Amino acid sequence: PEIPAGYQYEIKEEKKDGWKLTKKTNDTGTIEADVTAEFTNRSLHTLKVKKTVDGASGDKNKDFEFSIKVYDDDENMDLTEYLSEHGGKYNEDDGSYSFTLKHGEEVEIPDVPYGYKYEIEETDYADEGYSTKVNDKAARNAAGTGPLQAWCS
């Protein structure tokens, strides 16, 4: 049936676990012509950062510092609640957070929408005799998008 001009409308989408509404257009208004309401959702994933210290001379009680940023074109994710127990601090200059992990510790950041980008970097400890690997390759940082999985050790 046709809706007469002048009627006001509001369309709501019911929240579904595992998904985040990331964009909506024309969800409220007044009928004046044909209208299309659009809702965009992204599936949610968990990003994990885990620290492993190998080797007989590695200090398994040492705090190793990391920086992390999780974002898309519109926003930086607020990571405060996930990093607070690891000394998480927000850096206003670049929107990143710093935090520390010891051997065997990990941080889980739930509800990261699919397609968000992440940048994670561990401080360089080469002058203390440490070499850093990410996914078994010599590196101090990782970046990417898409489904997020545990990557750092």
Side-chain angles (χ1 to χ4, degrees):
E2 197 167 299
I3 300 173
Y7 274 79
Q8 298 210 356
Y9 70 94
E10 179 177 11
I11 302 170
K12 294 183 179 181
E13 180 181 68
E14 189 174 306
K15 182 171 174 30
K16 183 172 168 101
D17 288 342
W19 294 85
K20 178 182 180 179
L21 176 65
T22 56
K23 183 179 177 185
K24 60 183 176 177
T25 57
N26 296 325
D27 59 318
T28 62
T30 303
I31 300 291
E32 294 177 14
D34 290 347
V35 176
T36 300
E38 293 186 43
F39 295 79
T40 303
N41 295 278
R42 292 183 180 179
S43 59
L44 300 175
H45 302 272
T46 299
L47 172 63
K48 295 180 185 180
V49 181
K50 182 176 181 180
K51 179 63 184 171
T52 302
V53 177
D54 289 330
S57 61
D59 182 354
K60 295 189 177 183
N61 293 311
K62 177 179 178 55
D63 284 322
F64 292 87
E65 187 170 341
F66 293 82
S67 69
I68 185 170
K69 184 177 179 180
V70 181
Y71 60 96
D72 74 354
D73 294 336
D74 299 322
E75 71 171 341
N76 284 343
M77 248 183 104
D78 183 352
L79 307 177
T80 306
E81 78 175 278
Y82 313 116
L83 302 176
S84 62
E85 70 181 74
H86 296 283
K89 295 179 186 155
Y90 180 68
N91 179 350
E92 288 185 28
D93 293 338
D94 67 359
S96 69
Y97 291 80
S98 62
F99 65 99
T100 60
L101 293 175
K102 293 180 177 155
H103 169 74
E105 291 183 330
E106 69 178 45
V107 168
E108 280 194 12
I109 301 167
D111 300 332
V112 178
Y114 178 87
Y116 268 48
K117 300 170 185 82
Y118 61 90
E119 297 173 9
I120 304 170
E121 184 170 351
E122 184 176 6
T123 300
D124 187 0
Y125 293 96
D127 61 341
E128 297 177 41
Y130 291 94
S131 61
T132 304
K133 292 182 181 180
V134 177
N135 289 337
D136 293 325
K137 295 179 183 164
R140 285 189 315 122
N141 56 38
T145 62
L148 306 173
Q149 301 172 8
W151 64 269
C152 185
S153 58

